[in-house]
Amino acid sequence: MTKEEALAEVAKRIAACEKCRFSPDQNPVPGEGNADAQIMFIGEAPGKKENETGRPFVGAAGKFLAEMLESIGLTREDVFIANTLKYQPPGNRDPLPEEIEFQKPFLKKQISIIQPKLICFLGRHAMHAVLPEITTPISQAHGVLLEIDGQHYLPLYHPAAALYNGGMRKTLLEDFAKIPEYMDQIVVAN
Ligand code: URA
């Protein structure tokens, strides 16, 4: 099975997960991008636009993410973009710990298929979902490269939080600018 096929299989299982939906008419937002991506971005949960289109990060935060990718010479097609939750929580509220736990196997499977060199967390929910052992607040963890069990991670502020906050926006842009340097530093052992 190719990586694309394996990811399509996961997307099918997400679409079939009635227990993951918050209402019957919701669209799944499994994630999208390059199955061979070296960098994977993980956000929190789909918002309204994402629920409407079935695609991750297509609203205002997504536009900002695309601009940041462009600033380091990348496009959405070069990376893989996913979320911790695959369906939009009611009223756009934060995901609950039990919802994250229940849906986490999908994200874990996507990571294991893609095997990215670097996983960038967009916000604290993604960081806590994948690395519950990291208790450092995102305000301290952001921009610092982590290596755990041979996998590299970069916690970042969430683009939606940074969009209208000048200081956070500047920090996120600065952290993003470190990505190419970090990618050069990361040596993947096989
Ligand atoms: N915010 C997220 O965390 N994910 C999306 O897909 C869109 C906005």
Side-chain angles (χ1 to χ4, degrees):
M1 200 190 276
T2 65
K3 284 187 172 194
E4 284 83 0
E5 286 165 348
L7 287 170
E9 229 5 87
V10 179
K12 245 199 210 166
R13 281 197 272 127
I14 293 168
C17 181
E18 291 309 329
K19 254 190 91 174
C20 300
R21 283 185 163 78
F22 297 94
S23 65
D25 58 339
Q26 283 196 308
N27 281 318
V29 185
E32 67 181 26
N34 190 331
D36 285 312
Q38 294 205 337
I39 309 177
M40 180 169 179
F41 289 86
I42 305 175
E44 182 180 319
K48 186 169 179 277
K49 278 243 165 69
E50 289 76 21
N51 177 50
E52 281 165 11
T53 57
R55 300 182 59 211
F57 281 97
V58 288
K63 198 162 163 259
F64 184 32
L65 177 61
E67 281 169 25
M68 289 190 289
L69 285 169
E70 205 178 313
S71 76
I72 56 167
L74 295 173
T75 66
R76 288 177 65 107
E77 289 72 35
D78 294 317
V79 301
F80 195 90
I81 304 173
N83 278 303
T84 304
L85 289 194
K86 309 304 189 185
Y87 290 88
Q88 183 192 13
N92 250 3
R93 64 155 169 74
D94 282 356
L96 301 176
E98 58 267 32
E99 293 162 357
I100 291 178
E101 262 334 283
F102 188 72
Q103 298 198 26
K104 204 154 74 174
F106 295 127
L107 179 62
K108 287 276 172 98
K109 185 71 189 167
Q110 289 172 318
I111 293 171
S112 76
I113 294 166
I114 298 163
Q115 295 191 306
K117 221 165 129 175
L118 177 65
I119 294 175
C120 295
F121 300 125
L122 299 171
R124 67 190 163 95
H125 289 286
M127 180 174 78
H128 290 150
V130 179
L131 301 176
E133 66 272 35
I134 304 288
T135 52
T136 318
I138 193 82
S139 56
Q140 284 171 40
H142 74 85
V144 181
L145 188 67
L146 300 170
E147 183 184 353
I148 296 168
D149 296 333
Q151 174 67 61
H152 288 80
Y153 302 95
L154 181 64
L156 297 167
Y157 280 135
H158 193 290
L163 200 52
Y164 304 111
N165 175 324
M168 222 189 249
R169 186 187 170 96
K170 185 167 171 282
T171 303
L172 178 53
L173 285 164
E174 286 167 0
D175 288 345
F176 229 88
K178 297 176 190 167
I179 293 176
E181 216 179 286
Y182 283 148
M183 288 299 284
D184 286 343
Q185 277 174 31
I186 300 169
V187 178
V188 179
N190 340 232

